[in-house]
Amino acid sequence: MRPAISAILSEENRALWAWFGAMALTALFVPAGGLGLAASAGLFALFAVPAHTLATHLRKPGLATILAAAALGWATLSYSWSPNRNPEEVLKLALLTPLFIIVPVAAARLNGPRQQLARAAFIAAIGFILCVMAIEALTGGDMSRSYKLAVEGYDDGRTDLDIRVNTVLSRGATPAIMFAGIAIMLLWTQRSRALRLLAAAAGVITIAIALDFGVQANIVALVAAVAAAAIAWRWPAVTLRLLLIGLAALILAGPLVFLVLLALISPETGAAMPMSWEWRLEIWRFALEKIAEAPLAGHGIGAARVLEGTMELRGYEIDLLPLHAHNASLTLWLETGLAGAILCAAALVALARALPSAETLTRPVIMMIVFAVTVWAVNVVLSYGVWQEWHHGALALAIAAAFVARSRTSP
């Protein structure tokens, strides 16, 4: 009896059962807006934590681990001088980030029959997500609208109801695109006509999801991710390295890039843009002004939530810093300063040097990781707050799915 219990509780079996649970939660959370993905990823990590693997690594951590810990530590420390006294954001960042890092490590332990079962659970979850999101796209979000009316107490006459529905669905579309790209690549590599037809159908639905719900960042992210994955097919390790180094360079040079960009865009050009894009230009301009006030250490994590500024744009009064700078680099600089930007960039460069040499990073796995990271990166550059834990969890699960989808039978 004792050996049987020991086998059930082994790292690999715990990881498999935890993966089943994570995929069930993910299938529910993505169409609901994706916010629950932090819990999905965190619970998977807690149940599936590969204690021996982590202990071995932590006895002699690599440079990327040391620099990532330093970047996380600096961001956490910056709360001490932040004008935002709500600790929620810094606590979630400090406590959840280590769990998110564990997610792909634990998933990579799955092999043999367990890996095949984990693949099936992933495909089933993505199939459910794409079906629900397709129905929402075809019906204009009827299911989400009905839920808000019946459960959340919305009034059918509220003018912001459609905006709320689109916000939920466009946010859910980001991880849906991320996961769908990995599932499509997995199905296509099986060399079965039926599975390739499923992959093609999933591709059509993914494009429709990206185009719908009124958010241009998702379609930009999808196009960029497909292009990056195609380049990775030809030069896998080089592409992954350049992607990570490119993100590092963008973090470091972000303020300079935006200073030049804003100088090149005339007021007439801005006025000709959709209002949401002209609003972004004003957000970025205001963020640069705030960065200049505290360039070395920043204003502290969460500061963007309380630093205020308004202006009139096209007859509306707009907030010049609505929760974050709508750009990862500018938010990092604004809240953690040059020190935070250097640490984050250095960690990415160290990761670029370390990851492509890993045994599990075959060509298909790299293509999948490149796809997921590109979708995530475009959205944090154009839309989402860089600290938001739900898309950190989504990225962790997507990278984990790439390892689950690998063709090898050993970790």
Side-chain angles (χ1 to χ4, degrees):
M1 179 67 70
R2 190 170 295 174
I5 294 174
S6 178
I8 291 172
L9 297 177
S10 67
E11 282 187 3
E12 292 81 3
N13 282 328
R14 281 191 291 107
L16 178 60
W17 286 106
W19 184 257
F20 287 160
M23 289 300 98
L25 291 174
T26 297
L28 296 175
F29 288 149
V30 170
L35 295 183
L37 291 174
S40 181
L43 288 171
F44 171 75
L46 285 172
F47 283 104
V49 57
H52 178 72
T53 301
L54 287 179
T56 301
H57 178 74
L58 291 175
R59 278 197 292 268
K60 191 177 180 181
L63 180 60
T65 301
I66 294 170
L67 289 170
L72 181 60
W74 175 258
T76 303
L77 178 64
S78 73
Y79 177 72
S80 62
W81 60 83
S82 173
N84 182 4
R85 302 322 300 161
N86 184 347
E88 180 181 352
E89 194 158 65
V90 70
L91 287 175
K92 288 189 291 188
L93 182 69
L95 297 176
L96 290 177
T97 303
L99 292 179
F100 295 156
I101 293 171
I102 290 170
V103 171
V105 176
R109 300 286 297 167
L110 293 167
N111 60 87
R114 297 183 189 89
Q115 183 192 351
Q116 298 303 316
L117 289 170
R119 280 184 175 186
F122 172 65
I123 292 298
I126 303 315
F128 178 83
I129 289 168
L130 291 181
C131 286
V132 173
M133 296 294 286
I135 292 170
E136 291 284 58
L138 288 170
T139 62
D142 278 355
M143 285 190 291
S144 294
R145 185 176 291 100
S146 298
Y147 178 85
K148 289 188 174 296
L149 291 171
V151 179
E152 295 185 4
Y154 272 71
D155 188 309
D156 199 18
R158 280 184 60 167
T159 57
D160 66 339
L161 179 57
D162 286 342
I163 295 173
R164 295 286 185 178
V165 168
N166 270 354
T167 297
V168 167
L169 293 174
S170 65
R171 192 172 58 227
T174 300
I177 293 165
M178 204 182 289
F179 298 142
I182 294 170
I184 290 166
M185 284 185 264
L186 171 58
L187 291 172
W188 193 263
T189 57
Q190 300 309 298
R191 301 185 184 281
S192 160
R193 179 174 295 181
L195 292 181
R196 287 189 169 183
L197 285 173
L198 281 177
V204 172
I205 294 172
T206 303
I207 293 170
I209 291 170
L211 287 169
D212 213 330
F213 312 127
V215 175
Q216 293 87 0
N218 278 328
I219 189 62
V220 174
L222 177 59
V223 171
V226 170
I231 296 169
W233 179 83
R234 180 65 180 86
W235 299 285
V238 171
T239 304
L240 182 54
R241 283 194 181 99
L242 289 178
L243 177 59
L244 294 172
I245 292 170
L247 288 174
L250 184 59
I251 287 172
L252 279 179
L256 178 60
V257 169
F258 280 94
L259 279 171
V260 173
L261 176 67
L262 293 172
L264 293 175
I265 297 176
S266 67
E268 293 77 18
T269 302
M273 293 178 173
M275 182 175 171
S276 62
W277 285 98
E278 189 178 11
W279 188 354
R280 272 180 173 77
L281 296 179
E282 298 303 331
I283 292 170
W284 294 336
R285 187 172 286 111
F286 185 73
L288 288 170
E289 293 173 5
K290 292 300 176 183
I291 289 170
E293 293 175 5
L296 298 181
H299 293 273
I301 190 168
R305 291 178 173 270
V306 297
L307 294 175
E308 296 180 349
T310 60
M311 69 171 287
E312 186 175 302
L313 182 66
R314 303 188 189 184
Y316 296 92
E317 185 176 51
I318 61 166
D319 189 347
L320 289 172
L321 201 56
L323 301 181
H324 52 82
H326 285 66
N327 176 266
S329 175
L330 294 184
T331 302
L332 278 167
W333 273 84
L334 188 147
E335 297 189 348
T336 66
L338 174 63
I342 288 175
L343 287 171
C344 287
L348 286 170
V349 172
L351 187 61
R353 293 185 61 190
L355 275 183
S357 63
E359 220 176 273
T360 49
L361 291 181
T362 58
R363 185 192 304 269
V365 172
I366 290 178
M367 289 176 66
M368 293 172 186
I369 292 174
V370 164
F371 182 92
V373 172
T374 303
V375 171
W376 177 83
V378 169
N379 274 283
V380 296
V381 165
L382 296 177
S383 292
Y384 302 132
V386 70
W387 309 124
Q388 290 176 314
E389 72 283 352
W390 70 270
H391 61 67
H392 295 180
L395 181 61
L397 288 168
I399 295 173
F403 286 114
V404 166
R406 72 194 187 279
S407 58
R408 298 184 49 164
T409 57
S410 60

